[in-house]
Amino acid sequence: MSKILAFSRFSVRDFLATAGPTLLLVGAFCALAYWLVDPAPPRQVSLSTGQDNSAYEEFGKKYAATLAKHGIKVTLQPSLGSQENLQRLNAGKTDIAFVQSGSTEHDDAERHGLISLGSLFTEPVWLFMREDKAVTELTQLKGLKINLGPEGTGVPGLFRQLLSVNGVEAKELTVSDLQNTPATVELLEGRIDGLVFSSAPEAPLIQMLLQTPGIKLFDFSQAEAYTRRLPFLTHVVLPRGIVDLGQNIPAQDYHLIAPTATLVAREDLHPALVDLFVQAAAGIHGGTGWFQQQGQFPSARYTEIPVAPEALKFYKDGAPVLQRYMSFWLANFFDRMWVLVVALGALILPLSRVVPPLYVWRIRSRVYRWYGQLRTVEQALEDVPPEQRAQVYAAQLKRLDQIEEMVNQISIPLSFADGLYGLRSHINFVRKRILSLMGEHPAAEAGEPA
């Protein structure tokens, strides 16, 4: 039993010794393919948001919290708004950012290597005026003090387009460029007549101004006409009582025009992170809202920037199958395993034809090499002078005993035992031949001349 166990143990060792170099080669090749062909996603990413108390800032915090659950750190980068975010993306100073539709052209986005992860929500143009200013048309803004915000927000350019289609030049207004929070203070203090936002209704300042006495929201009664003149805009309605049903705020339906906020990234953003951001967007923006229905956002529509293939696949088929049932990192690992499968297939199939013969040769070589020694003994018996026969025969018998002793120490798998027993029988055959020769020449055996 112990010898059988020994045979079994040595067969495993022989196999490992034979296949070891092959396994090392396969492992090294797979490791190289795993890290170089499709590297793991980074654990940190930068997201350019917006001003204090803006919707971009609030949503940026939600994205950071969501991705933190998957071990991804999102570094939030405050900005003036959409235009500054776009500049950062073009300069490679951020990985992903909120950008308002209409901020760039399709060709410019492709030239700078930008991709869209989809549109997230509508950003209505909010024109808040002091209630004592009876303004019902944009042409009536001439001569009034209106804050459009800093150029980096994108609002000044957008509002100038709105003025332009009304035949009004921005220079006919007294325009200021304060950020949202100080501009709100100026409006409440009466030092300006109105201010313009372009933001989701979740922004704290929007919520506050909608409920502030003495402040009135401008009604874009020609909203549908604006959307025909400026295709990146959509017509949305702020329903009566949506802010506070009990107090009936607002007291009427308001027609607004709205670009959409999009999530834009550099095209070198890791595909796994694109998947993760789009899934986060579905959780953050997928519900109902003041201007959207369940499941309307996020969407591949309403964006002039080319949508990333991974995002398009998500909007069509949903989350990747593996990520529905396991953690992000584990799913990502298995998703990248196809590289290893290809590498293994390329190596194992041809090598599988080499290893078995090598294994057989390694085992049988332990037996075959002794046939060379046995052949040497037989050759030594040829053409021996009569006076040397006794000495030569005795020496070869001794040599044969040494060979047999060494052969008896050979351990091989049981499946190759026939070769070992065959060698032993051949050793015995040569021994009998020597003894036969010694019997034919007894004088030589006695040490006398024949």
Side-chain angles (χ1 to χ4, degrees), residues 36-65:
L36 294 184
V37 176
D38 188 15
R43 290 184 174 270
Q44 184 168 340
V45 63
S46 57
L47 172 61
S48 192
T49 56
Q51 300 179 47
D52 293 340
N53 298 316
S54 67
Y56 286 176
E57 181 190 50
E58 294 300 313
F59 284 127
K61 293 176 181 178
K62 292 183 179 181
Y63 277 95

Side-chain angles (χ1 to χ4, degrees), residues 81-133:
S82 180
Q83 284 298 324
E84 185 175 1
N85 289 347
L86 192 59
Q87 292 169 7
R88 288 178 179 177
L89 286 168
N90 291 337
K93 295 181 179 179
T94 191
D95 299 312
I96 191 167
F98 295 110
V99 176
Q100 192 177 82
S101 64
S103 299
T104 186
E105 298 291 336
H106 182 281
D107 293 341
D108 288 339
E110 285 193 328
R111 185 167 59 253
H112 288 97
L114 302 183
I115 54 174
S116 171
L117 276 58
S119 53
L120 308 177
F121 51 89
T122 53
E123 290 190 286
V125 177
W126 308 87
L127 172 55
F128 288 101
M129 303 290 301
R130 292 190 59 81
E131 201 167 30
D132 56 357
K133 303 297 180 181

Side-chain angles (χ1 to χ4, degrees), residues 206-269:
I206 300 294
Q207 295 281 331
M208 183 196 72
L209 289 171
L210 286 172
Q211 304 178 64
T212 301
I215 303 299
K216 184 178 181 180
L217 178 63
F218 179 81
D219 182 27
F220 285 86
S221 57
Q222 299 171 303
E224 194 62 34
Y226 282 108
T227 62
R228 304 296 175 86
R229 296 290 297 273
L230 303 171
F232 61 88
L233 297 175
T234 57
H235 175 198
V236 296
V237 177
L238 183 68
R240 172 185 172 186
I242 188 67
V243 178
D244 190 320
L245 284 169
Q247 299 185 43
N248 194 32
I249 301 175
Q252 67 176 67
D253 289 348
Y254 280 90
H255 297 272
L256 303 175
I257 51 177
T260 57
T262 58
L263 201 56
V264 180
R266 296 186 57 78
E267 62 183 0
D268 56 1
L269 184 68

Side-chain angles (χ1 to χ4, degrees), residues 183-194:
T184 301
V185 174
E186 292 294 294
L187 178 64
L188 297 177
E189 293 294 331
R191 289 189 283 268
I192 60 175
D193 300 311

Side-chain angles (χ1 to χ4, degrees), residues 1-12 14 359 363-364 366-367 410-421 424:
M1 176 63 72
S2 62
K3 290 184 178 181
I4 293 177
L5 293 176
F7 290 150
S8 299
R9 182 172 63 251
F10 282 119
S11 65
V12 173
D14 290 330
Y359 173 74
I363 299 298
R364 293 195 181 280
R366 296 179 186 174
V367 175
I410 297 175
S411 296
I412 62 174
L414 293 175
S415 58
F416 296 90
D418 59 334
L420 181 60
Y421 284 103
R424 287 175 177 174

